[in-house]
Amino acid sequence: MSEWRRSTWGEEVSLEYGKALRGYVDRAGGVRVFGANGPIGWTDRPLADGPGVILGRKGAYRGVHYSRGPFFVIDTAYYVVPRTPMDMRWLYYAVIHYGLGLIDDGSPIPSTTRAAVYLREIHVPPIDQQESIARVLASLDDKIDHNDRLAQLLADICWALFRSWFVSFDPVHARRAGHRSFPSMDQGLFDSLPRDFVDSPLGPIPKGWRVEPISELVGVRGGGTPSTKNSTFWDGGTRCWATPRDLSRLSHPILLDTERHITQAGVDRISSGLLPPGTVLMSSRAPVGYLALAGVPTAVNQGFIAMECDRELPGIFILHWARSAMDEIRARASGTTFPEISKKNFGPILVAVPPNELVEHFSSVANAHFDLIRACLLENARLSELRTYLLPRLMSGKVRVGANG
């Protein structure tokens, strides 16, 4: 590390204030707008050319963000301008490594001040080493980002398919109109569809479908919280125990782990016990409507309605049905402090139940997509762990990489 320069942040960078923005445009504007906690919209006029590093300066959840292209920063954040030649991607990792987003001036609203940042020490490697360090870390981040985008695309395909088949009834409309096939549907399945609709409590549905309350189609379960004063329920626990917070943090609708874990003794204190993979988890309060498919055995707290899919309709179908029915689900919530939907109010909600062969075909397609989503999430967990391990070692010079990466 003899060639690394010992300096201060004030000597190396300038923190520039963001500016007020009166309005946003749709994505066609092309310029990302950043606030203290990350991207918040789009504009058609950049504040600065990219690439750029954005540091939140006000708020409880200040973040560090990187923009590849032109960007706009509102006045709850800074953008970081080097005073010396510097690789911008390396600078992004340096801001993370040195914890600039955690600096707090002690005011009622947590704030990061320029004066506090400028006094902090930094060790700056030569530009070729900056580039090599950034290349290693960026390769991990880029792969994580690719997996996230792929997982989102797969989830969007499943949702579009469900809406087309089971909400808009597009294949049945196509058959009624005389079409001989339908995109995304096997020919034999399409040929078996009815051409007519019948009236139901849900409005017109395809002939041969039936309407049932959700409580007749799934096991509706609640949850609970074992006493936090009893260590035998918590210490050394390995069983997943979900709260709505766990679902709020998901980027994709599969729960593979939870923030807290409980012991088997803790599980035994919850009436619904350990729910099997494939159970649909829905937050029933604060707020109503977070959704995920349990990817591992999971116990839940009292903030859930869990749908155990041990009957004719599989979890992958019920997950998408719940999303399609969310307006009615939320309309049935009540409460003086915050809206909450009870099992009693949830159970009577009606479901249009398709023929088994249509459900099975959808489930086959959607499960294959969700298997790929799960693989993406598991790989991202491993990549994130590797990035967490490497970042402090690379940024401190304890692990060295060659100029060619």
Side-chain angles (χ1 to χ4, degrees), residues 232-254:
T232 61
F233 299 152
W234 301 94
D235 290 355
T238 59
R239 301 293 194 178
C240 287
W241 179 76
T243 70
R245 174 181 167 87
D246 289 299
L247 268 60
S248 73
R249 299 164 68 181
L250 296 179
S251 300
H252 310 288
I254 303 177

Side-chain angles (χ1 to χ4, degrees), residues 212-224:
E212 298 277 1
I214 184 64
S215 59
E216 295 296 319
L217 301 169
V218 301
V220 180
R221 312 281 185 244

Side-chain angles (χ1 to χ4, degrees), residues 118-138:
Y118 287 166
L119 292 174
R120 295 292 179 97
E121 187 176 75
I122 181 175
H123 291 85
V124 184
I127 190 71
D128 63 331
Q129 292 188 37
Q130 292 180 29
E131 292 169 351
S132 296
I133 291 169
R135 190 178 302 116
V136 171
L137 295 172

Side-chain angles (χ1 to χ4, degrees), residues 311-335:
R311 303 175 194 176
E312 63 181 294
L313 294 178
I316 197 73
F317 181 94
I318 292 297
L319 175 73
H320 290 86
W321 166 80
R323 181 176 174 181
S324 72
M326 192 53 63
D327 286 346
E328 181 175 358
I329 291 170
R330 288 178 175 144
R332 288 173 174 259
S334 61

